[in-house]
Amino acid sequence: MSKRNGGRAFVVALAVAVVGGVLPATGYGSVAHADLRAVQRDSAKDRVPEAARSAAAWAAETGEPVEVLHERTEYSQVFAQPDGNFKLSQSTTPQRVKGLDGSWQPVDVTLEKREDGRIAPKGAVVDLSFASEGPGSDMIRIGDRRGHALTLGYPGHADSALEQRRPAGRNQ
């Protein structure tokens, strides 16, 4: 046996010993499978969250679709239907944003000056802002709600960059 084949045989034997020592010899796979099915049967009623069950009951009572508020995101809404089904309404663009207080607000791309002096949309899914003056190193900033941010800039001042872009005779 060559040295190379002997090494491969050792690795295979070691793998068999480790796996054989970790897994019990009697019916491990079938026991886990049986337990999984029992859990699935017992928790079938728990698959629909309480908020959705409540919305479905209200929809059945009123005869009108009812939104499952717990399922609302920037891009989608779920509605309980009077017939007991659920309808997903989804968009490829954000339709609403979560405000600082946790409430849902409409997307509003109108730019305004913030308290920190940066210019930003009133309501956006990401934290997007533009420098209104000062060093150009922090000209554009885009971040998420977890505190991660990407900053883009240039080696000048933001106010000079804005001046260069303004039409002649305009001071705002």
Side-chain angles (χ1 to χ4, degrees), residues 11-98:
V11 170
V12 170
L14 180 62
V16 169
V18 169
V19 172
V22 172
L23 299 176
T26 57
Y28 178 76
S30 61
V31 172
H33 185 69
D35 288 345
L36 178 60
R37 277 192 252 158
V39 168
Q40 287 174 339
R41 265 194 318 272
D42 293 340
S43 67
K45 66 177 182 173
D46 295 331
R47 288 185 189 163
V48 178
E50 180 58 36
R53 284 194 297 246
S54 178
W58 186 251
E61 186 177 318
T62 64
E64 297 289 326
V66 175
E67 184 180 1
V68 182
L69 294 175
H70 182 70
E71 297 294 325
R72 185 187 286 181
T73 71
E74 288 93 348
Y75 298 89
S76 65
Q77 292 175 285
V78 174
F79 295 90
Q81 301 298 308
D83 65 1
N85 289 313
F86 292 88
K87 180 181 177 184
L88 171 66
S89 174
Q90 194 164 14
S91 176
T92 57
T93 58
Q95 302 299 302
R96 63 202 66 76
V97 297
K98 217 163 211 183

